[in-house]
Amino acid sequence: MKTDMHIWKPLFIRTIKDIMQERHMSRKEMAMMIGISESQLSRLLKGRRNPTMKTVLKLAYAFRIKPSRFVIFREMFE
């Protein structure tokens, strides 16, 4: 099953930005909390880097939310 990154990447980015805004977090704080570099987070938020499942799980664990909050698959729209 192939996942269409173009559909869910904008949701992933928006969700991270929303969490950062809700919690008044800087990129540096967010990166430290999930254990990635600030430059990696910056590339994710600009859509230049595809998130790995490991990154999605780190985010979900750090913020105590379901990983599915970050992911929408093409099949959900068909």
Side-chain angles (χ1 to χ4, degrees):
M1 177 169 72
K2 185 177 179 183
T3 303
D4 189 347
M5 293 292 295
H6 299 290
I7 290 174
W8 72 270
K9 193 186 291 187
L11 175 68
F12 176 81
I13 293 167
R14 181 77 258 146
T15 301
I16 293 175
K17 288 181 178 181
D18 287 347
I19 290 170
M20 290 173 66
Q21 184 176 7
E22 289 167 11
R23 299 177 188 214
H24 307 286
M25 296 182 77
S26 68
R27 286 185 182 196
K28 184 175 185 173
E29 291 169 325
M30 171 71 82
M32 287 176 54
M33 186 170 199
I34 62 173
I36 64 174
S37 71
E38 193 174 347
S39 63
Q40 286 176 307
L41 179 60
S42 181
R43 286 192 298 273
L44 280 173
L45 294 176
K46 291 178 182 177
R48 294 183 184 153
R49 180 174 181 249
N50 292 331
T52 63
M53 185 53 70
K54 185 175 180 179
T55 301
V56 171
L57 293 174
K58 284 180 179 183
L59 284 160
Y61 180 77
F63 296 107
R64 293 180 168 85
I65 59 176
K66 293 182 179 182
S68 59
R69 181 168 172 193
F70 296 105
V71 182
I72 291 183
F73 296 101
R74 179 182 65 228
E75 291 78 11
M76 296 175 82
F77 293 99
E78 294 176 347

